[in-house]
Structures are given as C-alpha cells and as structure tokens.
Amino acid sequence: MASPLHHWDSSAEKLPGAAASTDKLTAFTDSVGSRDAETAPKKPRSLKVLWIVLAITLALLIVGGAVVGGLADKDIIHFGAKTGTYTSGPQTTGSGSGSPAGSSGSGTGAKNGTTVPTCTKSDDIPASAKGTWLDPTSWMDAKDFNCTYTAETVGGLPVVGLNLTYDDSKQANANSPPINKSWGYGTNPFRGVNLGGWLSLEPFITPSLFGTDASPIADEYTLCQKLGKDAAATLEKHYSTFITEDDFKAIVAAGLDHVRIPFSYWAIAKYDSDPYVFGVSWRYLLRGIEWARRYGLRVNIDLHAVPGSQNGWNHSGRSGTVNWITGPNGTINAQRSLDIHNQLSKFFAQDRYKNVVTLYGLVNEPSGQIPQDDLAAWTAKAYAIVHGNGISAIQVFSDAFKSFETWQGKLTGYGNGLIIDAHEYTIFDNALIINKHTDRVNFACKTWTNQINTGLNPKTGFGPVMVGEWSQADTDCTQYLNGVGTGTRWEGTFDKNIGPMCPTKDKTCSCGPANAEVSAMSADYKEFLLTWAEAQMDAFERSWGWIYWTWKTESAPLWSYKTGLENKIMPAVAYQRDWTCDKAIPSFGSLPENY
C-alpha cells in the first residue's frame, strides 16, 4: 500500500483580514503604551487613558468573538486541526472535521439564494494549476473542504480538499457498530440506499437536466456535448445541490446504515474525444464519503460507468452499443478500466478509508451479452489489482443479470473477500411486470427468498450475496426510465409488437395513476406500496444486505426512498417494520390491477 507523506501549508489559519486587524490592534496598543510612558508623572490622566484602552480592547474582543462565533455556527469556519502534514496514516480526532479552509482563506458566495462557503484567492497556487480542478478558488462550493492548495497525490489522484482529521467513532444507530468496529458482514444484514443520479447522471432521476420531451437529451455524453463550455458549471451546481449533508442526516434518521455512491470514470480520467466534465465530481465523492463517516454510515463506492460503456445504457454515460470487453475497442477499454482501478485502489487503500469504505464496487451492471467467462476473467484481474494495492474492503461484482446458479464454481478462492451483487426488479421483465399486486408480494417473499438461499450456498450458487439495487416501483411508467424517447411495457409503447403488459394486458393499462403525486394515490395503493417495500426488505435481508435505488429523484416518487418516507409508504425506520413475509398479505381493498 502506498502511504506517502503530503505536505500541507503549516501557516496558521485566519479569517480574511484577520492578520491585518491583529497587527493594527498591536500597533494601537503599543502606541498607547508609549504615550503612557511619556506621561507617567501625570497619574490620573494615565489611569484614565489606560481604562479607555482596556474598554476599547474588550469591546473589540467581544465584537470579534461574536463575528467568529456566528461564522462557526453557519459552518463557514471550523475549529480543530487547521494545517500541517497530510498523511495516509491514522489521524483520528474528536472533531472529525479538520479545517475547511487553509492558508487560501475562505469566503462566501451565493447559490440559489443560499450563502455557501468558497475558497478565496491565494498566492500559493501556481499558474499551472489556476483555473483547473486542483484550484480551490475555482470551486463553486467549499463547504467542508480544505482550501489549502496542494499538488500532492496518492495513486496519481489529488488529495486537495481533504481535511487532516477524521473521526471513526460514530455509529448510524444503536443497532450499528461504530465505524471503527467490525460490521460483521455475513451475519449482520446491512440496510442502505443509493445516491443515484448524483455523480453519475440518469435522465429519469433528474429529467430537468435532459431537456424536454420535444427535444430530449439521451445521456450524459450528449448533455456535455450540448452544454460545451457551460458543462462544468452546470454539473458542479448539480453536484453541489442535489445531495447535501442534510441528506446524510436524513438517511441515518431513517434507520439506514450504508450508502452506495455511484460515480463515473471521468471523475479521474478521460480518453480520446470524451466530452465529459473531468475531475470535478472527484472531490464531491470524497466529501460524500466524509459526510457518511460523520454520521456513522459505511460506504459502497461503485464505479458506475467505465470506458466504452459496459452495457450501452444511459447510466453508463453513453447510450448505444457495448464497447467494453467486447466490441471494436473492448480490449482497450477493459484495460483502461483496470488502470482506473489501479489508481482508485491505491487512493482508497489509505488508512483513513479502511473503516468507512467497506464495499468496493468493480463495475455496475455489465451487459449480459458479454461472455460470462470473459467477464469472470476481467473480474479476477481487477480483484488482484485492488487487493494487491492494499484494499481490505469486500470487493463487489455484478451478477450481470445471470442466475446465481450460473456463477457456481466461478471466481472461487476469495472467501468472503468477493461478493456477488444482484439488482432485483420486476418491471423490466415481461414475465414479471404482469404480476398482480398480491402475486408481486408473494414473488418477493417466496421466489426471491429461495433464489437468495440458493445463491448463498457455494454448492448451488456463488456464496456471499447482496442486493445492491431494488425499488418500490411496480410499473415501468416513470419518464425516461427505459431510456429517453422510449415508451413503456406497461402501456405497450416500449415494444408495440407485444402490446400492453399490465396484468390485464389490454388498452385499459394506464400509467396515469402510477405517475401521480403520492398525495393523489388511493389509500389501497399506498398500503400495497408499503407492503411491497416491506416484503422486499424481508426477503433481501436473507442476503448479506440490501441497498435501495435510490434516495432522491426530481419527480419519480416510487424510486425515491426520501419521498416514500415523507408520504409514509416506506417504514419510518428501516429495521422496525410492521409487516413481514410470515404474515398474511393484505387484500388491498378495491385496488384495480390496471390502475
């Protein structure tokens, strides 16, 4: 494991202008002292001047303290270890925040009517770095970042923005061990949520970024092409505002203990004529990990998009064909993704990440068209690189939409260091989307439970199993869910040769109620949605754990854990549920099967 020392500016941190103010105060008191010395024989006047000076000094201290206190309350400045030497070794302190601003200083800026901290200009930034992703003064949002400039890297990846101290003693809830204690994977099921659509964009999560129905944008590749020079500012605004510290607070309050953070390869690399915004999302990934740590959440980092596209879907960055492992540049792009993991694993092998990054995702949802043996061979190479660089986290690989049985006997010899990730949905399969409401609940409780039991047994499946994605959605009606410009299976517009695929399989199939605001949904439908969520939680806790897709959306309530909580169609606390699979399924009243 690489553990170089990184030298940060050791000068004391001050608020902008603080040094000058202190110098003036010193000069002022010194000059008063001189005058007092000259007039020593006139004691009454000397005492009077002294009392005036003391009163003025006291007033200045009170005002200054109030100002600094106000700034601290607003999280503009922090107290703790301010500057020093960055090291990948342990630096745990009680505060866990370190310094968000070093010798560069800090200031504030306006964003959507909200004041946010920014890094002020500094002479210590070399000309070659100014205006780049390494220049703290170019950052739109400096909240909880260290503003001290440094060119130091680990694994070739910058540490700029990281604070010096961290605290691994926090726990998400009473049922979760503190970050610095073993979780107990395999015996203690985890419950988490994805931060989808944040650092890897998806049109159905944030449709406002992808134009209108009349002129839609297919994917992040096309979006960046269209935005051109405005792409960086547009996406940084999204990174800064879509997921905030308040989201991590709410995730913990919901009884969750893990977060999966999808990110794309252009966080650290670009190739050929890539139009993607390079590097900006990297520091937001690092800040997200620190916020997770602050609230006792463990992290599954997930490489959601690799060079060439692993599945040809929009969340891989570019819709179209698969050009990873297979395809004209498949071999080149497969190697590029290994190179990316070589850098990432060196960086996350630092001691500061050993407790908080406990699940390390190799690649999200590779296409089922990729030959399984070729995918297994790539996974073995990736594992060796990541493990060889010092990563102790459990490595996560996708089932690639294949059954657990097909992975039996493959990728053996890793013990509990490698886990297979299944993404379980009933709405992208024509054989499952037609299930009636009661049948859907039964499918979770029985079929998925049986499949997981099969997968957990190395004699019948792979062994360690997790469910890294699932949702409350019972239709594929959400705008852009199947891709921009495509229809739905539910109403029969996705493949007009097949026709509507709601349970009635006729022209009465409608997406209207499914796409309605939750407040407009019937009580029976809400009861179904809550039961459907609880059934999946119950089934998936037979595995090593589950992570819901996703925490937040702009307008897709059945894909938003946050919206589900707000509307009481999700359990208020994930580990305290009223319904389990060993109970009778509610009737759901007069809920129609076609809505």
Side-chain angles (χ1 to χ4, degrees):
M1 180 188 73
S3 56
L5 294 177
H6 302 279
H7 301 289
W8 294 71
D9 185 355
S10 60
S11 62
E13 180 190 25
K14 298 183 177 71
L15 289 172
S21 299
T22 304
D23 291 343
K24 289 177 182 177
L25 180 60
T26 302
F28 174 72
T29 54
D30 285 347
S31 65
V32 171
S34 300
R35 286 196 298 268
D36 286 345
E38 292 173 0
T39 58
K42 301 180 182 179
K43 301 220 173 161
R45 182 176 178 183
S46 173
L47 289 173
K48 182 177 181 181
V49 171
L50 180 60
W51 282 112
I52 291 172
V53 170
L54 289 174
I56 292 173
T57 301
L58 181 61
L60 287 171
L61 290 172
I62 292 172
V63 172
V67 170
V68 172
L71 292 172
D73 287 342
K74 294 180 180 179
D75 209 22
I76 293 173
I77 65 170
H78 294 238
F79 297 102
K82 303 301 183 186
T83 54
T85 301
Y86 180 86
T87 174
S88 59
Q91 300 170 328
T92 304
T93 70
S95 69
S97 61
S99 166
S103 62
S104 298
S106 62
T108 58
K111 178 182 65 181
N112 293 339
T114 303
T115 300
V116 295
T118 57
C119 297
T120 58
K121 298 295 181 183
S122 174
D123 294 334
D124 64 357
I125 302 173
S128 60
K130 288 188 176 180
T132 71
W133 66 321
L134 299 176
D135 177 359
T137 67
S138 72
W139 301 348
M140 179 182 295
D141 176 0
K143 177 178 169 58
D144 288 330
F145 285 122
N146 190 320
C147 286
T148 306
Y149 170 77
T150 178
E152 300 298 334
T153 63
V154 176
L157 300 178
V159 302
V160 65
L162 283 176
N163 293 307
L164 302 180
T165 58
Y166 53 92
D167 182 359
D168 282 351
S169 68
K170 302 300 175 63
Q171 59 188 120
N173 56 65
N175 294 329
S176 301
I179 293 284
N180 56 12
K181 303 296 182 183
S182 173
W183 174 264
Y185 289 103
T187 58
N188 181 26
F190 55 85
R191 306 171 180 93
V193 68
N194 281 273
L195 301 183
W198 180 31
L199 306 180
S200 291
L201 301 186
E202 295 199 35
F204 93 89
I205 296 176
T206 55
S208 66
L209 287 172
F210 290 87
T212 63
D213 285 334
S215 181
I217 298 169
D219 48 38
E220 190 165 346
Y221 186 98
T222 312
L223 176 65
C224 291
Q225 280 185 322
K226 184 178 179 66
L227 290 174
K229 62 181 179 60
D230 296 325
T234 299
L235 294 193
E236 182 167 11
K237 180 179 179 182
H238 166 74
Y239 300 151
S240 173
T241 58
F242 187 64
I243 295 294
T244 69
E245 184 180 358
D246 286 342
D247 290 300
F248 289 83
K249 293 179 185 177
I251 288 168
V252 166
L256 301 171
D257 42 60
H258 281 62
V259 288
R260 181 173 180 249
I261 307 182
F263 66 101
S264 303
Y265 75 85
W266 48 92
I268 67 167
K270 277 176 63 172
Y271 301 97
D272 306 325
S273 57
D274 280 349
Y276 301 117
V277 174
F278 167 67
V280 177
S281 61
W282 173 247
R283 68 175 175 275
Y284 286 94
L285 170 62
L286 299 186
R287 184 171 72 174
I289 293 171
E290 295 306 320
W291 281 343
R293 187 202 310 271
R294 182 175 292 177
Y295 295 99
L297 294 164
R298 288 165 172 81
V299 177
N300 175 181
I301 57 172
D302 173 64
L303 187 57
H304 217 64
V306 295
S309 176
Q310 72 274 21
N311 53 35
W313 295 333
N314 58 35
H315 61 249
S316 72
R318 191 174 190 181
S319 305
T321 59
V322 177
N323 200 7
W324 180 77
I325 295 182
T326 61
N329 294 316
T331 301
I332 294 173
N333 287 325
Q335 182 58 50
R336 286 170 170 171
S337 60
L338 293 176
D339 294 340
I340 287 168
H341 277 302
N342 188 39
Q343 286 190 275
L344 287 171
S345 56
K346 287 177 180 177
F347 188 91
F348 287 113
Q350 295 179 79
D351 283 350
R352 74 180 292 145
Y353 295 111
K354 285 187 179 296
N355 293 328
V356 68
V357 177
T358 55
L359 296 165
Y360 183 107
L362 296 174
V363 62
N364 177 67
E365 294 184 352
S367 171
Q369 299 173 5
I370 298 172
Q372 189 174 15
D373 287 343
D374 292 346
L375 179 59
W378 179 90
T379 301
K381 290 179 182 178
Y383 182 94
I385 290 169
V386 172
H387 183 72
N389 283 334
I391 291 290
S392 57
I394 299 167
Q395 294 187 49
V396 182
F397 80 101
S398 170
D399 65 1
F401 310 103
K402 301 181 188 300
S403 69
F404 294 133
E405 290 93 334
T406 66
W407 288 100
Q408 195 280 326
K410 297 183 184 296
L411 293 170
T412 59
Y414 299 103
N416 290 337
L418 185 65
I419 188 170
I420 193 169
D421 179 15
H423 296 175
E424 303 288 19
Y425 301 108
T426 62
I427 57 175
F428 302 117
D429 184 330
N430 288 339
L432 298 179
I433 194 171
I434 61 173
N435 280 343
K436 295 180 179 180
H437 295 98
T438 299
D439 294 337
R440 203 176 298 274
V441 174
N442 260 323
F443 184 85
C445 289
K446 296 179 180 179
T447 305
W448 272 338
T449 296
N450 290 336
Q451 288 178 355
I452 288 170
N453 288 335
T454 297
L456 287 168
N457 186 347
K459 295 181 179 179
T460 56
F462 174 75
V465 171
M466 63 177 279
V467 179
E469 291 186 21
W470 62 279
S471 89
Q472 210 168 10
D474 59 330
T475 77
D476 66 336
C477 287
T478 298
Q479 180 190 31
Y480 300 158
L481 179 63
N482 293 312
V484 174
T486 62
T488 69
R489 296 168 184 81
W490 193 259
E491 291 185 331
T493 54
F494 182 77
D495 185 344
K496 294 181 180 179
N497 293 322
I498 296 178
M501 294 303 294
C502 83
T504 60
K505 299 183 70 173
D506 58 28
K507 63 181 181 181
T508 66
C509 296
S510 172
C511 281
N515 285 339
E517 295 289 337
V518 179
S519 59
M521 294 176 179
S522 70
D524 290 334
Y525 189 36
K526 289 180 180 178
E527 183 178 14
F528 161 72
L529 291 171
L530 177 59
T531 306
W532 173 224
E534 291 174 322
Q536 293 182 84
M537 291 177 178
D538 192 82
F540 300 151
E541 284 176 19
R542 314 301 173 92
S543 75
W544 281 27
W546 54 258
I547 305 179
Y548 186 87
W549 187 272
T550 184
W551 171 247
K552 179 188 290 187
T553 67
E554 287 181 343
S555 55
L558 301 190
W559 291 89
S560 169
Y561 203 105
K562 180 175 183 287
T563 300
L565 287 170
E566 292 168 348
N567 290 275
K568 299 181 179 180
I569 56 174
M570 274 287 184
V573 179
Y575 54 83
Q576 295 175 348
R577 303 191 293 270
D578 294 330
W579 191 88
T580 57
C581 283
D582 58 0
K583 296 182 179 180
I585 299 175
S587 68
F588 308 129
S590 58
L591 181 63
E593 298 298 344
N594 62 348
Y595 304 107

